Amino acid sequence: SRGLNPLFSEPGDHTAFADGYPVTIASESSLERLNGWIAEATAARGESPAPPMAMQRFRPGLVVDCPESFAEDGWRGVQVGEVSFRVAKAVDRCAMTGIDPRTLAYGREPLRTLARHRLSADRKTLFAVHLVPVSTGWIHVGDPVSVR
């Protein structure tokens, strides 16, 4: 077990096998919007359309169906099945997202487009949010999700 960044966690918060936080959650609608932005920019440059980005590039532990793109930016907490989570922070993305998990080819997307549309004040490209569990229990595919 290792502690989390104290700027975005509470005493006792920890993770074991995750990159920086215990759980990452992303929404399908956010990925659809990102893919739309990439397609628009590709067409504007006169390039051939690229296949849509797969969610696997962002390595979320949880993927939710949400009608509003990037709604997760405003969430304070999430309940999935039996488990409650506190939102720690937005996820700033690294160059690893440029690697296609199927082909291992590297490209400038999605960071190029995230930098145009999802750049934080400290110049980080954002997609998804990190969660810290505040309860224990089971999560199953298809469980109800509620946000606060």
Side-chain angles (χ1 to χ4, degrees):
S1 138
R2 68 174 195 240
L4 306 180
N5 181 335
L7 295 175
F8 304 103
S9 63
E10 296 178 3
D13 286 349
H14 65 279
T15 191
F17 302 111
D19 183 22
Y21 289 84
V23 178
T24 299
I25 190 169
S27 74
E28 290 284 355
S29 59
S30 297
L31 180 62
E32 288 173 22
R33 186 65 195 119
L34 173 61
N35 280 321
W37 286 331
I38 292 170
E40 291 165 10
T42 300
R45 289 190 301 269
E47 297 172 0
S48 299
M53 294 277 138
M55 187 63 84
Q56 290 82 357
R57 286 195 185 225
F58 301 98
R59 304 171 313 279
L62 296 171
V63 178
V64 295
D65 186 14
C66 176
E68 183 185 342
S69 302
F70 305 106
E72 55 269 36
D73 292 348
W75 298 348
R76 292 184 342 251
V78 182
Q79 176 84 28
V80 182
E82 299 175 359
V83 184
S84 292
F85 298 90
R86 182 179 70 254
V87 173
K89 66 184 262 327
V91 182
D92 51 294
R93 292 305 177 165
C94 70
M96 292 298 291
T97 59
I99 300 172
D100 184 323
R102 294 171 297 221
T103 66
L104 302 181
Y106 184 79
R108 295 179 63 190
E109 295 295 355
L111 293 181
R112 172 172 44 186
T113 297
L114 288 172
R116 291 186 70 218
H117 297 279
R118 304 276 303 152
L119 196 63
S120 67
D122 58 351
R123 307 203 42 82
K124 302 207 186 240
T125 54
L126 305 177
F127 187 89
V129 294
H130 286 306
L131 304 176
V132 176
V134 294
S135 69
T136 60
W138 291 97
I139 294 176
H140 300 90
V141 172
D143 275 348
V145 177
S146 60
V147 300
R148 55 185 191 288

